[in-house]
Structures are given as C-alpha cells and as structure tokens.
Amino acid sequence: MYDLLIQHVDVLQIANGAPTILPRHDLAITDRRISAIAPAISPGLAREVIDGEGHLAIPGLINSHAHTAMSLFRGVAEDVPIEEWFNRFIWPLETNLTPEDVYWGTLLGLAEMIEAGVTCVADHYFATDAIAQAVQESGMRALLAWTLFSGADEDTQLNSARRFTEQWHGTAGDRIRVWMGPHSPYTCTPSFLSRIARTARELGVGIHIHLAETAGQVSQSIATYGRSPVMVAYDAGLFAGPALAAHVAHVSPEDIAVLATHGVAVAVTPKTEMKLGIGVAPVTTMRAAGVTVALGSDGAASNNTYDVLESARLLALLEKLRTGDARVMPIGTVLELATVAGAQALHWEGIGVLQPGARADLALIQYATAHTQPVHDPAAALLYSSQPADVRTVIVDGRVLMRDRVLLTIDKPRVLREVVARIERLTQYQLDKRIAVYPEARTDA
Ligand SMILES: [Zn+2]
C-alpha cells in the first residue's frame, strides 16, 4: 500500500548535467520515500491520490545558503556597499531581534521557500532554537548553524552552539540537522576558528561559513595573516570534516585546489553578490577543478527573495556573459546545482533526486500559464520561464506542505500579522549597538 500517489505527471530527472523527462508517469510515496515511478500505478494501491496532469514534478530545490529570518529586514538596506550594509543597517538592526522575532521571521521565509518549491535550506543565524522550532512545525528540511563571532563571550557562544547541536541534530525524523557556523574569518579570530573546528569534529558535524566575499576581505586577510581567507580557514582546521563555504567570490588557483582537495563545497548566491557589487565565484573554473558548487539565496535583506530558481537563472546568465560562451552552464547543469549538488554540499544523502529510494521531497510545477506555453522543453520552461506562483504542490519527507497553492503547515495570515506587528520596533536604530563590526574598507582591494 502506498501512502500517496501522484498520477500523470512529467517527472524531471537530472544525471551528469543532463535533464531527462519521464512523460506522464505515476510517482508513489511510501514511508516518507519515493517507492515507485512508473508509467501506470493502480490508484487502488494508494491511501491518497493527487492528479498531476499538466504538471512537472521536480526534486525539491535546495537552498544551500540562507539567513531565513532576515525576511524581517527585506528591503531595509538597498543600494549600499557591503560595509555600510553591515555596519549602518543590518548589524545595528539585528540587536533588536528577540528569539520570538526570529521564529516569526523564519516562518515567513520558510513559507516563501515552500511557495517557491524549496524543500531544504542550509540556514546560518542566531536564536537557532526558535529557528529549529519553526522548521519542525513547518515540515521543512533544514541544516541549521548557530552563527558565531569572536568577542568577549566566545566560551558562552561555543557552549550554546554545542548544546544546540546536541539537542537538535537528527531530530524531527532527521529533517533537522546541525553544523557549526563560524560567521567568517573577518569576524572570527584564527584561534576561535580552530576551537570551533575542534568542537565540530568532537560532535561529528560539519562547518558552514562565509568565505572570501570581497576582494577587500582577501587583501585584508593577506595583510593581517599573510594568507587568503580560504587558507586561514584551512589552517584553522575547518576543512577537516564536511565544509560548506558561502560566496567564495575571490579565490586564487591555490585556494581552488585546496577547496577541491578537501571536498569543501561552495554555495553561490548570485543575486546578493551582484546587488552588493562584490563579485561572483568563478563557478565554471571551480567545477572544472572538482569543487562542488551549489546555489543559495543568502538572506532576504540582501537577496530580497528566497527563490532558488531565480538564483539558478541568474547564475546561468552570469556565467554565459562572463565567459562569452552561451554553451556554459547549460540548463541541466544549473538545475543540478539547485538539486543534486545542493544535497552533496550539505552531505545529505537521498535528497535532490526523484528516484525510488530517495526521500520524498518534491514540487509540482504547472505548465498552463501564458509565460510558459507552449512547452517545447520542460526543463527550459522551468529554468527560464517559470515563476514561483507556478509551484502548485510541495511535498517534504512524504508530507504535503502545500497543495494547490495552499500552505498546510504554516498559518500564513497569522505569520504576516505577527511580522507586520514587529516591524516598527525592529527598525529602530541604536547605532551604539551592533552584532559585530565589518572591517573598514581597504583602498587596495
Ligand atoms: Zn550569508
């Protein structure tokens, strides 16, 4: 007996950068996993049936780098360089956040992700107990990290992150996993990074960090430590286990070799990187060197949306423009970054694919829209024409989280009310209080 059967749906499979469509197939789910994909499965064998006619079933998209609760600060810091973005806006404003704010902001971001076909997120933030609570209730899948900064309270932070990891890693039926989250080499000292790396190894978890976002960070790192940010992270032992580095826009051939040798995955967030004017990772070069590259959204305060297909589309366009070659980043490759490579980057087996045995994380995208018809190529329609509103139904771990555009696990009207009620307090500036300090911009960048 199947728990759920999706009938008459086109099924997108991606292998080795090539998309394949299984036309008008049935997809069965049993015990939270995909149990069968075949041209015709008897609906009498299923407890529940969804008619997928006119839809494309895709592996749930994986957002490999986000600060979900920053949905609360969407649009507060526009058209400013990164040091102003941090020092004048984000880090002062974040001192206003309570765990309850983070909870509602996370639910808002998760609602947006589910509505955009995202089924798993690698989140990096604070008040992570509130985030885990929101993830648990929403039914989403998440790899959480408690953002750590150097400062007077390093012991307290590290102990809190350890306690959080021990409490939440592998919970919610293994929908929630936890890694350690040093913010970056420009906000954490090498000795603190080393302590975090040791703690991660003791706990048997990975590391999620920001690396080499700007040319200025690289020159500052070399001036201070004689090493690039990638090498500072490597020296601190952060690459001894699973590691996920966000942005990594400014790297040398030596840096790329170290990332490849140690299996460090890179999460690029092209919209944020373009908006802040900081540069985007040389994705084609990194992939050729053997680095796993995945796609993220970063926080909504820089990216404005949690739409992973938008990130995918932007990255494909950027790489074609950068290389002057329309053949780079073909559709299958860029869709792979948002699915299969995301699973590899998060070291999460059994997601990012639609095949028997995989976790049942998927989205159904409708074809019947003016902006996608006629559909000569379903994968092209998905990447280059679809909009988040075309995502009709989303399933995570076999559970339907959205059906026909209705969220079933998140009370969206209540979330919107809670968020709006907080905005006035959250946007009070107290310039003497900041979460951290972004180093002064260097002119030699
Ligand atoms: Zn980030």
Side-chain angles (χ1 to χ4, degrees), residues 110-151:
L110 294 177
E112 183 191 348
M113 287 189 214
I114 294 167
E115 288 183 336
V118 177
T119 56
C120 180
V121 56
D123 189 83
H124 201 296
Y125 216 51
F126 29 84
T128 40
D129 289 278
I131 297 170
Q133 187 73 36
V135 170
Q136 184 177 48
E137 292 169 14
S138 69
M140 273 280 279
R141 189 181 298 284
L143 175 63
L144 305 180
W146 182 312
T147 306
L148 301 166
F149 297 99
S150 271

Side-chain angles (χ1 to χ4, degrees), residues 65 67 210 247 298:
H65 179 71
H67 314 284
H210 299 93
H247 311 298
D298 218 342

Side-chain angles (χ1 to χ4, degrees), residues 184-207:
S184 65
Y186 61 85
T187 54
C188 296
T189 62
S191 66
F192 192 39
L193 292 176
S194 297
R195 290 183 65 197
I196 295 167
R198 277 199 302 277
T199 306
R201 283 201 296 280
E202 278 170 39
L203 295 169
V205 300
I207 298 281

Side-chain angles (χ1 to χ4, degrees), residues 259-324:
L259 296 171
T261 304
H262 297 278
V264 180
V266 169
V268 292
T269 65
K271 186 177 177 185
T272 286
E273 287 140 9
M274 284 194 282
K275 271 191 81 198
L276 290 171
I278 56 179
V280 183
V283 171
T284 304
T285 309
M286 283 179 167
R287 281 170 45 84
V291 177
T292 296
V293 178
L295 276 162
S297 64
D298 218 342
S302 56
N303 207 74
N304 303 66
T305 65
Y306 290 128
D307 177 359
V308 171
L309 279 177
E310 179 185 54
S311 297
R313 193 172 299 139
L314 290 172
L315 182 69
L317 299 176
L318 263 176
E319 281 296 286
K320 289 175 193 297
L321 185 67
R322 183 217 302 268
T323 58

Side-chain angles (χ1 to χ4, degrees), residues 93 128 139 201 233 309 330 334 337 387:
L93 289 179
T128 40
R201 283 201 296 280
L309 279 177
V334 73
L337 301 201
Q387 298 175 3

